Each structure stands twice: as structure tokens, then as C-alpha cells.
Amino acid sequence: MCRSHRKLTCLAGIILSAAYASTARAGEVAAWPKDPVFSRHIVPWFSRMGCNAGACHGAVQGKNGFRLSLFGADPAADHERLLREFGGRRLNFAEPEASLLLQKVSGRVPHEGGKLLEVGSADYRMLLTWLVRGAALDEAAQSQVRELTVEPNQHTAKAGTNYALRVQAMFADGATEDVTALCTFDSRDRDVAGVDRTGQVTIVGAGSGRLVIRYRGQPVLAQVLVPAEAKGEFPQVKEHNFIDKHVLAKLRQLNIHPSELCDDVTFFRRASLDVAGELPTPDEIRKFVADPNPDKRAKKIDELLARRGHAAVWATRFCDLLKPQFPSGNGSEGKYPATLVSHVRRFYEWVRVRLEENTPYDQFVERILLATTAEGRDREVLSQEFQQYAEEDRDQATDLKAYARRRTLDVYWLRRDAARVPGTIQFSHAFLGLRLQCAQCHRHPADVWQQDDLLSFANFFMRVGRPPDPRSPEQRKQDEAAVQEVQTTVSKLREQAKDQKLAKEEADQLLAAANSLTRELEMKERVASYHNIYTVGMAAKTEFAKVSSSLGTAESKQFRLLGTRELLKVGPAADPRKHVMDWLRRPDNPFFAKAIVNRVWAHYFGRGIVDPPDDLSPLNPATHPELLDQLCREFIQHGYDLRWLHRTILASRTYQQSSVPSGNNEHDQAHYARFHVRRMSAELLVDAINHAMAAQETYPPGLFVPPGARAMEVPGPTTYGPGGSQSAATLAYAFSIFGRSPRRTESSCDCDSSTEPSVLQSLYLAAYGNVLNKLKAPKGRAAQLAAPAEDDQRLDEAYLWALARLPTAEERQRCRQHLNQAATPQQGLEDLLWVLLNTREFMLIR
């Protein structure tokens, strides 16, 4: 189109669009810009209407011959396709209203997406005006959103009322504009409030509602509080610490009443399971209940935090997050595949010991993130360490103490897909609470992350790999020659021993010498396999992050931390991970402290302050943001002290309150008006069964698990190779049906662990052979309690071992009757324990 023709078309368009404006209905407010800009108005309109979503033109191959970048990630490419593709018929500058774009969206020609707007509507006029003014592509840098605000950002309302949201954007060029009509709106709490596509909020019921507004993918949040109907005055309750201050303040705003404190028995059982991963014994329960000290709960919390079980619980939790799985079946395990299993155990033990030492969390992560095998030591010193590992592997030792003395967890980087882009996704999930999987291929559909964010961050992890062999070619030849010499000597000794002329004693001496050399050679080969396979450091070759998918290939050659715009310079010989560690320690880091604080909170309450706990997205706001901020701030001020964090949460009234509904809090889920019951984890449940039945698991030697270890202390697979036992296979089945995380490195989601109930779980407790065998064992709990004693004493012990409480008067009467009618005391007790094991109360933390 010539320049003069373009000017005439623009002039005609201005007149035409003005004519449309003059025909607007009386009282209609023009909610469209007078001079629409492609990236500020047209692309957001596509997003609002769903045109550039994955199910429509944002799909890999587009839709019906037309493709847009997913969620408007590339406005320039979108503009090019609109302008040039399909013979230019999508945009008709000579006759703008005949443009295929306008005909499709207005339903004047067939459109699979249906009719999206009316001719003459505000949206139609906006698109038409952009067309008649030349359909220009604006300067991307000038249209960057600097700030997005919503009014009101906090609002208190009553059920059945309505109000409107107004969204304003400030751009890089300083312009400010009302963009409400170009936003998408979503309610994260639809039982509290709904919001329509225009930003009209409808109040549904009592509670705290979070509204997420997006413009061009950038989010802004609004909150609505809907107080419940008053049922008496808000109770006078005493705060234990600042946690209660925040929780009670929100409950007062919502007029939701908190429950009373739970009794001592309930608290002790709850805290024992949550903190140390075990049920209390009858003697412990009686002693705690009888203690008149008003500070006994605080003292019990400190005692539980100091137990080995506390470190075991959190070593298991971190193994769920860090997924100690190692490559196998591709030759990487060398001649000694059992080393892969022992590595899982070493991984667990290193984590457990660090937690037992209460290593500050920032140091704990640093010693994982910056881990190398050598740790600055030479090959000879490293060989001595490898010799210890090799001896443990050979002897199938179960304590594996040598590795736990290391400063760093280098086996973290030996896991499957531990580095590069997949490893970056794993790291971000484990230590930042972020889900970046979708950003491998495209802009995240439900988050703020783009592909370049992931790839630029992944470059910090691209240099991790097997370091070059420090030996010179001559040294390697000498080492190989020495091994060959030993092999030759062994062969000669075995041949000499076959000589019929030799006395038996002389032949035995030769064979003994050959066997001794063989064992020595095997140890050298094991040590060599550690050097050749199980070492990590800075790889010799430098690469940059690149991904390929059906959408194409993308690469980044820059280093940029998540959520930042600054590009960092990293020297060719430097370890880029150090920049990540420095960033994690910055007090203003938006993810690091928040991720662990939120996960610890979720462990004790069954949901995070941000929930799910591994989704710290701006589009997933916290229910109590001020509480989360203060917990993070004080956690950092206390030197990243994990036990301070646990102690603070456990000491709160919020944790110690009853699960019994009170007042109007029966349906509250997110505001901690009462303690919400939850099912035990798979490991806890297996250990609780063994505790109640006086049983324990057994493990084959190849698992490197100590005899009598609790299920909570099993770090990896429960069956391995031909040495697998029936007990270990049964444990694997229990772990599977009760939702233990399979710890697959390809999956980065806290939901890999599940506490959801199922029919199989009920059948397992009621009829599974292994459980019934434990119940009827000659030295089991029923047999122990069948010893001469009063029935009431037997009942008390059975209830205390199984449910950590005494029977009620009604339960005692019924149980006495059953014991009197049983053929033998042991059979009656077996029946009773079976019933207790199959109660809902047994499985729940309440």
C-alpha cells in the first residue's frame, strides 16, 4: 500500500470509528482507547477472549491455519502473522470492516470459536480503530508494564452484595491507563466470592476471598473479607505468640470463632506423630498427663525436637523433595550396581545428620548447591574416602557412617537429571517452591514464568558435571599397567596351583595368595569406579541452556536469576552456582525462606499459608500474607534456625487448639479456626501399626537398612535384586497404597505424596496377611497383654498402645463383655486390637 493511500485509509477510518462512537447507546461509556496500541490493547484482548490459549490459536500448530504465540508471549510474531500470512487477507486496509479478523470475531463468517463480539460494540470499535489507523506494531520497550494496581485491593462486604473492580496500568513510557476491560479475572475462593469477566464481584458466603487479575500475563491481587453471621461475642482467648496474633486478627475480621485448646493427651499424640514420627508409649502418656508443670507442653516440644525421630521425619521429607534416585541400566553403575542403593542410603544419612546437628538452613542448602566430590582435596586423599565407601559396599554395611562426615552432598548432583534444565526445574521446586515445568516449552499458562526465565536461570547449573581426570596421560597408563600386572600375577598363581606335583598345602597357599590379590584388585576397581563414575565438579566443556519441543528450539546464553532483570557476568572458569547461593541469602529473596517456612507450616497444618505449598506464584496468594512475612523475617533473623521455626509453630495456640468445631467454625478450612484432622503419611502409618502390634520390619542386606529400623528411616526402594524379602515386598506395597512419594525425578510436585483415603487402605488394615500375622504373633502385643492381669489393665494398655488414650466408660463396658466371652484372653485381645486398628481415629492425626 502506498503512503498516500495509507493516509487516506487512516483518515477514513477515523471518520468511520467516530461514526460508530456517535451511534453508541445513550448512557454507554466508551471503555476503549481512542488510539489502540497493539501490545497494550490488541494482544491483551486476544488473551482475554482466549484466542491465544493452548486450546485455540495458541496451540503448537495454531488453529485452522492461524497461529498466535501462546498467551501473547511474542507480540512481534503475532503482528507479523496477522499482517503477512494468508495473503494479507486477515487485515484489509482498503476496507477495514472486511478484514477477516473482524468478520471472524463478529460471527459474519464461520468461526469455530463462535461469535465473540457484536458489530459496533466497544471491543469491535477498538479493533476497527487499530486497523484503520494502520495496524501498527508499537515499541515493545515503551509498552512494558511497570505497575499494575486494582481498586479496591481490600474490601469488606456482606453476602449477596456486589461491587466492581477497576484495574490501572502504568507503562514504561510513563503513560497510565484504565485496563479493566482488557483483564481476565479469577476467584481463588469461589465459595466466598465470584467475579465475572467484566470485574463485577458477587459475594457468595463468609470467609476470605482472593481475586486474581491478569493483564498481559502480569498479575495483581485483590482481597475481599466477608464476616460470618454473629453467634455470640468473639471468645476471649490468650495468644501464645505472634502466630496467634495474626490468625486471631483474621478470625475477628471474619467473625469466625476459634476452638478451645485440645487436652493434654490429644496434644501429646499429635505432637509425637508430627515432630518425632512415633506414637507415645503408655508410660510416657501417663507421666505427661500427671505432670502439674504449666510449661510441660513447651518442654515436651523441646524433648521431641531433640529425638532422633525428628531428624528422621525431616530427612524423609527432604528425600521426598530432593528425590535420591540414580541412573541405572545404562552402564553408569559399572560392575557394582549395589552402589546405587548404598548411595540412596548415604544421601538419606547425610541429610539426617545435618538435621540432627540443626545445621542452619542456608548452610544446609549451600552444602548441597555448591557440592563437589573433591571439596578441594587431591586424588590421593579422595581415594582414601572412596576406599571406605567401597569397603562398606562390599560388606553391605548398614550404618554407612563415612559419607555423613562429608561437608557437602555431592550425590545430589549424581541423581538422574540433577543438572541442566531438568535439574533447574527440580532445584526450583525443592528450594524455591516454584513450578517451572511448563516454561520448558512455552510461557507458563497459569504463572508469570516465560521460557527465557527458565533457560537463563538454568545456565547457572549447566557447568555441573564430571570433572576432567586430573591425572596426566602417563599417570593413567601407569595405573592401568599396575592393574594389568596384578591380574597377570593372579593368573600365574592360579595356574601354578593346578600343578599336580605340588603338595596340597603349597597349592592352597598359592590359591590363598591369588584370592588375596583378587580382593585387593576388586577394591581398587571399586575405588576406580568411584573416580570414573561417581564424581561431580565443574565439567570441562561449557554449554548453554537449550530446549527443543514441537514449538521449536530455544536457547539462552545469558545468566539471569529468577524474577530479576539484571544480567550477571560469569567467568568461563567460575562456578555459577555461587551466584545463586548469594541470591538465596539475600533478605529480599522472594522465594527461598518463604518456601521452607511454608512447607514446615503445611507439615503441621495439612495446608500451606500459600497452598499448594510448592506453588509460590504471584497468582496463588497467601491466606495470611503478614503472618508468612513475619515468620520468614524472624526465621532469617534467627540464623535460618529450623528448630526455632518448628518450636515457634508448635508452641502456638493455633497448633494446639482442638479439632472439635466450636461456634461457627465447622466449615472453616483456610483460617485455622480449629485443628483440621489429616491422615498419617505412609511411613507414619506403618510405624504406628508396628508400635501398636509390638512388631518390626525386616530388610534384606542389599538395602543397607539397619535391623529394626522404622519405616520412616527407609530412604529408598524396599526391594532390590535377588535378596529381596517378603517383609520388604509387603512394606513396598504398604508404601504404595498409602501414598508414599515414588520420588521420580521427572516429577516436581509435592502432590507425589498423598494422604487421600482409598478402599485398598481399608482392606490392607482389615485383611492383609502381613498385618494379621503381626496381630497374632506369639510375641506380639496381644500375646504380651494376655499375661495374667486384670481386664481393665489389659484394656487400658491396648487403648494406650493403639490410640494413645484410655477407653471411655462405654467402650470399657463393651470391651469387658467381649473379653469375657472370648475363647482365650489372647483371642479377645487380638479382636480388640484389630478393631482399634481399623478405626478412623487410629489413622488420623487430630
Side-chain angles (χ1 to χ4, degrees):
M1 180 185 294
C2 68
R3 185 175 299 178
S4 59
H5 192 182
R6 176 70 64 87
K7 286 181 178 180
L8 288 171
T9 301
C10 291
L11 177 60
I14 293 170
I15 296 170
L16 183 60
S17 60
Y20 270 118
S22 67
T23 60
R25 293 186 300 272
E28 181 183 3
V29 178
W32 52 280
K34 293 181 179 179
D35 191 9
V37 176
F38 185 70
S39 60
R40 297 188 192 187
H41 305 114
I42 309 305
V43 171
W45 185 86
F46 284 142
S47 296
R48 179 173 175 264
M49 304 307 294
C51 302
N52 54 22
C56 197
H57 297 291
V60 174
Q61 301 299 330
K63 197 83 166 181
N64 294 330
F66 179 38
R67 180 186 165 199
L68 292 168
S69 64
L70 191 63
F71 310 115
D74 191 349
D78 293 342
H79 185 269
E80 180 69 15
R81 293 188 185 102
L82 281 167
L83 193 65
R84 306 295 181 192
E85 287 185 352
F86 207 53
R89 287 198 297 122
R90 292 196 177 102
L91 304 183
N92 187 335
F93 293 105
E95 191 178 349
E97 286 199 273
S99 297
L100 189 60
L101 170 64
L102 283 178
Q103 293 191 68
K104 284 270 190 181
V105 298
S106 62
R108 287 179 287 164
V109 297
H111 180 216
E112 190 172 325
K115 187 176 181 179
L116 303 181
L117 48 73
E118 295 288 344
V119 174
S121 65
D123 288 359
Y124 186 91
R125 296 197 302 272
M126 180 187 71
L127 295 172
L128 177 61
T129 302
W130 175 69
L131 279 167
V132 299
R133 289 179 181 271
L137 174 65
D138 54 301
E139 178 63 41
Q142 296 297 311
S143 291
Q144 288 282 342
V145 178
R146 291 296 183 213
E147 184 179 8
L148 195 65
T149 57
V150 59
E151 294 180 357
N153 64 345
Q154 288 198 10
H155 186 67
T156 301
K158 293 182 179 180
T161 60
N162 300 273
Y163 70 96
L165 297 173
R166 180 173 177 268
V167 188
Q168 195 167 49
M170 184 176 74
F171 299 98
D173 61 2
T176 301
E177 187 175 332
D178 185 329
V179 294
T180 307
L182 296 168
C183 292
T184 58
F185 301 87
D186 179 44
S187 172
R188 291 303 171 97
D189 303 281
R190 290 183 172 84
D191 56 337
V192 176
V195 59
D196 68 15
R197 60 186 299 174
T198 68
Q200 285 289 324
V201 181
T202 300
I203 307 303
V204 178
S208 174
R210 298 160 298 165
L211 307 172
V212 179
I213 303 98
R214 295 183 76 173
Y215 169 70
R216 290 177 53 187
Q218 185 164 327
V220 65
L221 309 174
Q223 186 179 53
V224 57
L225 298 176
V226 185
E229 290 185 14
K231 289 189 177 181
E233 293 186 4
F234 194 88
Q236 296 295 319
V237 293
K238 183 181 178 181
E239 300 170 2
H240 290 191
N241 57 25
F242 68 86
I243 289 175
D244 304 322
K245 178 181 178 181
H246 289 286
V247 170
L248 290 170
K250 178 63 75 70
L251 291 176
R252 286 190 183 95
Q253 284 183 302
L254 298 171
N255 198 29
I256 299 175
H257 294 187
S259 289
E260 299 291 334
L261 284 175
C262 66
D263 59 58
D264 284 342
V265 172
T266 300
F267 166 79
F268 191 16
R269 180 182 185 271
R270 180 191 298 174
S272 295
L273 288 168
D274 277 345
V275 180
E278 58 191 13
L279 285 165
T281 66
D283 288 344
E284 288 176 325
I285 296 168
R286 291 188 178 99
K287 182 178 179 181
F288 182 73
V289 172
D291 186 355
N293 190 330
D295 296 328
K296 65 181 180 182
R297 291 194 181 189
K299 291 183 177 180
K300 182 56 66 176
I301 289 169
D302 285 338
E303 179 197 324
L304 292 171
L305 288 171
R307 289 188 186 180
R308 176 186 173 95
H310 175 63
V313 167
W314 280 92
T316 296
R317 184 71 185 101
F318 275 112
C319 283
D320 287 344
L321 292 173
L322 305 181
K323 307 180 189 303
Q325 285 199 2
F326 299 92
S328 61
N330 58 2
S332 64
E333 66 270 30
K335 292 174 61 178
Y336 309 105
T339 301
L340 300 176
V341 182
S342 65
H343 268 2
V344 175
R345 183 74 196 175
R346 290 187 175 101
F347 190 112
Y348 171 89
E349 273 300 302
W350 187 94
V351 172
R352 189 194 64 78
V353 170
R354 299 293 81 76
L355 295 171
E356 198 169 61
E357 297 169 347
N358 196 30
T359 303
Y361 183 67
D362 63 326
Q363 295 180 27
F364 172 78
V365 175
E366 179 181 42
R367 291 162 69 171
I368 297 173
L369 174 59
L370 303 185
T372 64
T373 302
E375 296 180 344
R377 300 168 294 175
D378 61 29
R379 185 181 176 89
E380 183 177 346
V381 174
L382 197 56
S383 293
Q384 295 172 7
E385 182 178 299
F386 288 164
Q387 177 84 13
Q388 293 177 299
Y389 304 161
E391 290 171 356
E392 291 174 339
D393 292 348
R394 179 197 62 198
D395 300 337
Q396 294 188 333
T398 57
D399 51 7
L400 301 181
K401 293 180 178 179
Y403 188 83
R405 293 191 288 266
R406 277 183 56 90
R407 174 171 173 74
T408 65
L409 185 68
D410 71 321
V411 292
Y412 172 84
W413 297 103
L414 296 173
R415 300 172 308 119
R416 184 182 294 117
D417 292 330
R420 311 175 74 81
V421 174
T424 305
I425 294 170
Q426 293 176 36
F427 178 89
S428 301
H429 171 259
F431 296 116
L432 303 177
L434 298 176
R435 299 176 176 181
L436 301 181
Q437 297 96 313
C438 291
Q440 290 180 93
C441 301
H442 51 70
R443 180 177 176 176
H444 200 298
D447 213 329
V448 298
W449 306 113
Q450 302 201 38
Q451 196 175 43
D452 188 67
D453 295 323
L454 172 61
L455 297 181
S456 297
F457 187 52
N459 280 327
F460 291 100
F461 304 95
M462 293 296 294
R463 297 182 186 177
V464 184
R466 188 176 301 169
D469 192 332
R471 297 175 298 171
S472 66
E474 183 179 345
Q475 287 176 316
R476 287 198 291 272
K477 287 182 180 179
Q478 290 175 355
D479 292 344
E480 292 168 2
V483 170
Q484 185 64 44
E485 183 178 347
V486 173
Q487 291 174 337
T488 302
T489 301
V490 168
S491 298
K492 288 181 179 179
L493 288 172
R494 294 193 185 283
E495 284 299 319
Q496 291 174 11
K498 294 177 181 179
D499 191 341
Q500 299 297 324
K501 297 178 181 179
L502 290 177
K504 184 178 184 304
E505 182 178 347
E506 291 179 302
D508 288 346
Q509 289 176 349
L510 290 171
L511 286 175
N515 291 337
S516 177
L517 286 174
T518 299
R519 287 192 295 271
E520 180 182 334
L521 183 62
E522 179 184 327
M523 288 304 300
K524 288 183 177 179
E525 288 179 342
R526 285 182 180 270
V527 171
S529 74
Y530 271 97
H531 278 295
N532 297 334
I533 300 173
Y534 303 113
T535 58
V536 67
M538 289 296 99
K541 185 179 179 182
T542 299
E543 297 181 31
F544 290 101
K546 178 189 291 187
V547 291
S548 296
S549 70
S550 53
L551 288 171
T553 298
E555 182 179 20
S556 173
K557 294 186 177 182
Q558 59 192 20
F559 293 85
R560 183 166 56 83
L561 298 164
L562 286 174
T564 67
R565 296 179 179 178
E566 178 187 2
L567 301 182
L568 300 183
K569 294 182 179 180
V570 179
D575 185 346
R577 297 175 297 172
K578 293 179 179 178
H579 290 276
V580 177
M581 193 64 233
D582 291 342
W583 171 63
L584 295 182
R585 279 201 172 103
R586 277 169 33 186
D588 63 344
N589 185 291
F591 310 115
F592 181 55
K594 189 177 291 184
I596 185 62
V597 166
N598 194 50
R599 277 197 171 106
V600 172
W601 181 276
H603 173 79
Y604 291 116
F605 292 100
R607 58 171 293 134
I609 301 175
V610 174
D611 199 68
D614 60 343
D615 188 16
L616 297 185
S617 163
L619 302 179
N620 187 31
T623 55
H624 296 70
E626 296 84 2
L627 169 58
L628 184 57
D629 288 345
Q630 185 169 355
L631 275 170
C632 293
R633 186 168 60 251
E634 296 207 16
F635 176 57
I636 295 171
Q637 290 171 357
H638 281 83
Y640 295 90
D641 185 343
L642 285 169
R643 287 197 188 160
W644 171 88
L645 178 60
H646 290 283
R647 187 181 299 110
T648 301
I649 294 173
L650 291 162
S652 70
R653 184 192 184 282
T654 305
Y655 177 78
Q656 294 185 22
Q657 64 189 342
S658 173
S659 61
V660 179
S662 175
N664 58 354
N665 70 11
E666 182 177 0
H667 301 293
D668 175 67
Q669 293 288 330
H671 304 104
Y672 311 104
R674 62 187 177 92
F675 187 87
H676 284 278
V677 297
R678 48 193 158 83
R679 205 209 71 200
M680 296 183 201
S681 68
E683 298 91 343
L684 272 182
L685 197 53
V686 171
D687 284 335
I689 293 170
N690 289 334
H691 172 92
M693 301 295 110
Q696 65 179 27
E697 304 299 325
T698 58
Y699 311 97
L703 288 184
F704 297 88
V705 177
R710 294 160 48 200
M712 185 63 71
E713 299 176 280
V714 176
T718 55
T719 54
Y720 183 78
S725 67
Q726 179 61 39
S727 175
T730 299
L731 182 61
Y733 177 67
F735 280 172
S736 173
I737 65 170
F738 285 107
R740 190 201 201 205
S741 171
R743 297 173 182 170
R744 298 183 297 265
T745 54
E746 62 270 19
S747 174
S748 293
C749 181
D750 284 15
C751 58
D752 287 345
S753 300
S754 172
T755 56
E756 292 297 314
S758 71
V759 173
L760 280 178
Q761 295 169 13
S762 299
L763 291 174
Y764 177 87
L765 291 172
Y768 197 67
N770 182 263
V771 176
L772 297 180
N773 290 339
K774 290 176 180 179
L775 190 67
K776 299 176 181 296
K779 296 183 179 180
R781 187 72 64 205
Q784 293 175 10
L785 297 181
E790 296 292 331
D791 279 351
D792 278 355
Q793 183 181 351
R794 289 168 172 165
L795 292 177
D796 288 352
E797 291 295 302
Y799 267 80
L800 287 170
W801 280 110
L803 302 182
R805 67 168 176 85
L806 293 172
T808 65
E810 182 181 356
E811 289 169 338
R812 189 180 297 277
Q813 181 181 353
R814 291 183 177 181
C815 291
R816 279 179 189 156
Q817 182 179 358
H818 179 77
L819 290 180
N820 290 333
Q821 294 174 351
T824 64
Q826 180 169 340
Q827 183 177 331
L829 288 165
E830 287 174 3
D831 294 342
L832 172 59
L833 287 169
W834 181 87
V835 170
L836 296 180
L837 202 67
N838 284 277
T839 61
R840 186 169 178 266
E841 183 179 352
F842 176 79
M843 299 179 65
L844 298 178
I845 299 175
R846 56 181 180 82

